[in-house]
Amino acid sequence: MKLHVIVPLCALFSLTQQTPSRDKCVCELTHSEKAFPHDRLSTVEDDASKCNSNITPQKTVELESLLLGLEKRLPQLEKDVSELKREDDGQLSSVLSLLVVENELLEIKQLINRLNITMLGHQRLTTNTTKELDDLRAEMQELETYDTMQVVKRQQDNQNLKRDLDQCRNGLYPTAQPTEQPHGHCPHSQFRNISGPRVYTAGEYPGSYKYGAWGRDPKPAAGKENWHWMVLLTSGNKHSNYVRFYSSLSSLIVGVSTPGNVQIHSSNPTTNTIQGPNVVLYGDALYYNCYNQDAVCRFNLTTKGVTTVQLPKGTRFNSKGNFCHLDECYAFTDLDLATDESGVWVIYTTTQDFGNIVLSKVEEPLALGQTWRTSVYKQAVTNTFMACGVLYATRYVNKDTEEIFYSFDTTTGEERFNLGIFINKMSSNIYALNYSPVDQMLHAYCDSYMVSYKILFS
Ligand SMILES: *[C@@H]1O[C@H](CO)[C@@H](O)[C@H](O)[C@H]1NC(C)=O
Ligand SMILES: *[C@@H]1O[C@H](CO)[C@@H](O)[C@H](O)[C@H]1NC(C)=O
Ligand SMILES: *[C@@H]1O[C@H](CO)[C@@H](O)[C@H](O)[C@H]1NC(C)=O
Ligand SMILES: *[C@@H]1O[C@H](CO)[C@@H](O)[C@H](O)[C@H]1NC(C)=O
């Protein structure tokens, strides 16, 4: 820096002085300002980014999901206690009910403990962060005294001016009306938007299984109304041979599985066990892509028997017709099972459809019903779900956002590519996505986290 200044000055000096006899010249540059402490600024920058990374949206949702779990748990306890009172005849039945209530109390206690720990953590974080912010502010104010040329101050003034101008300009235009959303023929009218995450939990095996699925049975057997299920791809992120149950949402969150596992087969994988993450539970049966076959398997939880239905010739399977985004395809996502108000659906693709999504209804007794062909390319989609007879497809926008961009109405055949409904993700990849018509929740399994969102109908 100094050298650059010296050379032209020297040239000028020698030119004006016209003294060729002197072969050396020295220019002195005195700098009256204090040198700017770059190291202090970079320390502040580091501290600020550390402070930022301490506070994540995950932390807020964690508390909310625990509260939601508790909220769902308490009415159940109340019901069971009143049942106990009614049955209090000194007989065996009341002893059994007492055991049920005791168990529930234990679960609630675990939930409250988790809440306590989470809350204490948050309190600590808040105190810490407030202090850190105060320190950062003081340091920045001190650094500002170096800004003798008022560069930073002018920039701030400019920014404020620009913001005021923007506000003024936006105030002149009315806010854009939301575009009309597709009609689904169902009791909830039009799909308008989606909430932020309502449940966010690492469950019983935090971080252990990247691929999986979870949810609740839309048509549960008597006594299993509050049950939640989970399937983890335990073998090579590809296969599984059991479904795990939780007596309630809060049990799933705290990771206490009372009913435990129901096994399809002792080997994994083997004929008719689970391949790929996009499975669903409906009517006390698990529907999934059968291992190494272009077929849907239905595992009856009562009989523990498996029934299969063959998909059309040309169906892509064994990781040849996956969901993808630009950087990655999700292995073994050839078949996506889905539930909505009307039952079970299967989403797949075939060679003759050139990789575009094909949608078939799965009928009872087990058979393939009506089939629809769409013009959306399966590899341009990250996942799909059904709600009210309408197929919705998502695409990857960035690690924080997924967009529900596409819909296909099975009643009218209408296709739309411009929905523009955004899902606020808690981790990069959604491996399973399914709609629960019971409570209009969308259940997602993302990089070993279980997340759910509420679908907002208008
Ligand atoms: C919450 O945790 C703290 C520290 O572990 C403990 O002292 C306190 O008793 C707990 N409170 C409840 C309500 O469990
Ligand atoms: C509070 O700040 C200190 C350093 O200032 C850090 O070591 C500690 O982990 C922070 N605690 C929490 C809960 O963030
Ligand atoms: C949908 O919800 C998000 C927040 O959850 C909001 O920012 C957005 O404006 C909403 N979109 C519409 C069309 O209502
Ligand atoms: C499972 O098997 C039981 C007993 O045969 C039967 O009643 C029930 O309908 C079956 N479930 C499904 C979904 O087929």
Side-chain angles (χ1 to χ4, degrees):
M1 179 80 176
K2 262 185 183 158
L3 198 67
H4 286 173
V5 181
I6 289 168
V7 172
L9 269 180
C10 278
L12 198 70
F13 186 76
S14 55
L15 254 174
T16 48
Q17 293 289 306
Q18 297 289 329
T19 45
S21 61
R22 291 168 66 172
D23 53 1
K24 220 196 257 174
C25 80
V26 177
C27 300
E28 265 184 37
L29 198 66
T30 47
H31 188 28
S32 62
E33 306 287 339
K34 290 177 281 179
F36 185 79
H38 286 283
D39 50 335
R40 272 173 73 189
L41 182 63
S42 81
T43 312
V44 173
E45 271 172 4
D46 283 353
D47 288 350
S49 82
K50 259 186 234 141
C51 188
N52 233 344
S53 63
N54 273 342
I55 301 171
T56 58
Q58 280 83 340
K59 291 213 165 106
T60 13
V61 182
E62 198 183 342
L63 201 62
E64 269 175 35
S65 19
L66 285 170
L67 283 173
L68 184 74
L70 199 59
E71 188 187 303
K72 298 229 161 147
R73 210 71 191 87
L74 291 177
Q76 180 68 30
L77 180 69
E78 201 178 309
K79 196 177 129 241
D80 290 338
V81 169
S82 62
E83 194 127 306
L84 180 66
K85 278 197 200 130
R86 208 161 40 74
E87 277 176 5
D88 188 14
D89 51 4
Q91 300 296 307
L92 187 62
S93 60
S94 63
V95 174
L96 286 178
S97 301
L98 189 60
L99 279 177
V100 169
V101 170
E102 263 173 9
N103 248 330
E104 271 170 13
L105 275 175
L106 194 68
E107 277 179 32
I108 287 174
K109 198 158 161 281
Q110 284 165 334
L111 202 58
I112 287 176
N113 276 342
R114 278 277 298 273
L115 258 173
N116 189 18
I117 292 165
T118 313
M119 229 139 78
L120 287 174
H122 281 212
Q123 268 166 11
R124 262 199 307 273
L125 189 66
T126 311
T127 326
N128 231 3
T129 312
T130 312
K131 182 168 178 321
E132 275 169 31
L133 281 179
D134 283 346
D135 292 350
L136 285 174
R137 188 179 299 128
E139 180 73 0
M140 280 310 280
Q141 267 161 6
E142 203 165 308
L143 287 179
E144 239 185 77
T145 60
Y146 286 89
D147 185 24
T148 46
M149 309 270 287
Q150 303 263 305
V151 178
V152 177
K153 192 164 180 316
R154 294 268 156 70
Q155 271 176 357
Q156 272 170 2
D157 287 349
N158 278 348
Q159 263 171 14
N160 288 347
L161 214 59
K162 197 156 166 280
R163 195 197 50 214
D164 290 350
L165 195 66
D166 278 348
Q167 270 172 5
C168 185
R169 190 181 299 141
N170 288 340
L172 289 178
Y173 298 107
T175 45
Q177 293 299 312
T179 50
E180 199 192 316
Q181 298 298 330
H183 257 292
H185 294 265
C186 90
H188 313 295
S189 73
Q190 291 172 25
F191 184 168
R192 184 169 51 81
N193 206 350
I194 189 162
S195 76
R198 288 288 168 84
V199 170
Y200 169 66
T201 176
E204 197 175 350
Y205 308 103
S208 296
Y209 303 101
K210 202 167 176 229
Y211 284 76
W214 74 292
R216 64 191 285 194
D217 188 342
K219 205 180 124 193
K224 298 184 181 175
E225 288 82 1
N226 290 319
W227 283 28
H228 281 64
W229 61 269
M230 178 172 84
V231 166
L232 305 168
L233 299 189
T234 49
S235 166
N237 286 338
K238 297 175 199 146
H239 306 114
S240 182
N241 59 341
Y242 67 90
V243 50
R244 190 160 177 81
F245 287 100
Y246 297 88
S247 59
S248 64
L249 178 63
S250 52
S251 316
L252 178 128
I253 291 170
V254 294
V256 178
S257 169
T258 314
N261 292 350
V262 180
Q263 201 175 62
I264 300 167
H265 195 282
S266 55
S267 298
N268 182 26
T270 187
T271 312
N272 290 346
T273 55
I274 302 165
Q275 173 159 304
N278 286 300
V279 313
V280 294
L281 195 78
Y282 186 86
D284 220 21
L286 190 74
Y287 292 77
Y288 53 91
N289 183 179
C290 321
Y291 167 62
N292 198 23
Q293 285 180 70
D294 47 352
V296 173
C297 272
R298 184 187 64 191
F299 173 61
N300 186 320
L301 283 162
T302 316
T303 63
K304 313 272 191 292
V306 178
T307 322
T308 67
V309 57
Q310 183 64 42
L311 288 170
K313 214 165 173 303
T315 293
R316 309 286 289 164
F317 70 112
N318 276 349
S319 219
K320 296 210 174 63
N322 289 329
F323 288 130
C324 302
H325 59 87
L326 285 179
D327 291 331
E328 191 184 351
C329 283
Y330 298 151
F332 294 89
T333 53
D334 306 86
L335 266 57
D336 182 9
L337 278 299
T339 55
D340 76 349
E341 287 73 4
S342 65
V344 181
W345 303 77
V346 57
I347 293 113
Y348 56 103
T349 184
T350 72
T351 310
Q352 57 272 27
D353 290 289
F354 307 106
N356 285 347
I357 283 181
V358 178
L359 167 69
S360 296
K361 189 85 198 356
V362 178
E363 300 289 1
E364 278 316 315
L366 198 61
L368 219 53
Q370 198 178 343
T371 291
W372 291 264
R373 318 203 115 72
T374 75
S375 48
V376 67
Y377 190 51
K378 187 155 183 281
Q379 289 193 8
V381 161
T382 47
N383 220 303
T384 60
F385 63 93
M386 294 291 300
C388 304
V390 179
L391 171 77
Y392 295 93
T394 59
R395 67 181 164 206
Y396 185 96
V397 178
N398 57 41
K399 70 177 190 14
D400 303 313
T401 312
E402 206 87 355
E403 181 188 1
I404 304 172
F405 74 102
Y406 172 87
S407 71
F408 180 94
D409 190 328
T410 56
T411 314
T412 62
E414 189 201 3
E415 260 186 316
R416 289 191 50 182
F417 282 86
N418 60 346
L419 295 197
I421 298 169
F422 295 93
I423 302 179
N424 173 9
K425 280 187 290 190
M426 306 302 282
S427 36
S428 295
N429 300 299
I430 298 180
Y431 296 122
L433 193 61
N434 193 47
Y435 167 73
S436 162
V438 188
D439 46 12
Q440 290 83 53
M441 295 297 271
L442 196 60
H443 293 110
Y445 191 94
C446 324
D447 296 309
S448 88
Y449 283 98
M450 288 169 271
V451 190
S452 71
Y453 302 87
K454 179 104 183 164
I455 290 193
L456 307 170
F457 293 94
S458 56

